[in-house]
Amino acid sequence: MSSNDPQASDSPNQRSFDGVSHGFAPDGRPPAPSPSVPLEALVRDLVENLSETAKAELALLEARGALAGHGAKWASAWGFVAACALLVAMLAVAFGAILALAPHVGPLLATLIVVASLIALAGFAAWRAKRGADDIRTAFRRDLMHEGESD
C-alpha cells in the first residue's frame, strides 16, 4: 500500500489512517444526511413555535403582574394597619411622657419637650426615608456616573 507520507511503510501490518479523524470517526466522516423535511415545513414550525412562545411569555407577564398587584394590595393594607397601630402607640408614648414630665417641669414645658422630641424624630425619619428613596433612584438610573443628561 503506497501513500504520499514519506514515513509510512509498505508492510502489511501497518495500518492506514486515511479514514480516521483523530479517533472520533473510525470510518471517516459520515455522509451528510439528506433533509427529510422540506424547508417550508421547518420554517412554518419555527414560526408557530415562536408564536406559541410569545403567547406563553405574555401570559407569564400577565400572571406576574397579577401576582405583583395582589402582593401590593395586601402589603399596603397591612402597612396601613401597622401605621395606624404605630400612631396610636406614639400618641400613648407622647401622653405618657407629658404626664411623667409635668410634675417636674410643669405641663406646658413638658408638652413642648415632647413635641420638640417628636419633631426631631420625624425629621430624622424623613431624612432616612429620603436617603432610601435616593438609593432607589440611583439603582434605576441609566447613567450611574452622572456623565450624561440629568434625570
Side-chain angles (χ1 to χ4, degrees), residues 104-118:
H104 301 290
V105 295
L108 180 62
L109 189 55
T111 302
L112 291 176
I113 291 171
V114 170
V115 168
S117 299
L118 289 175

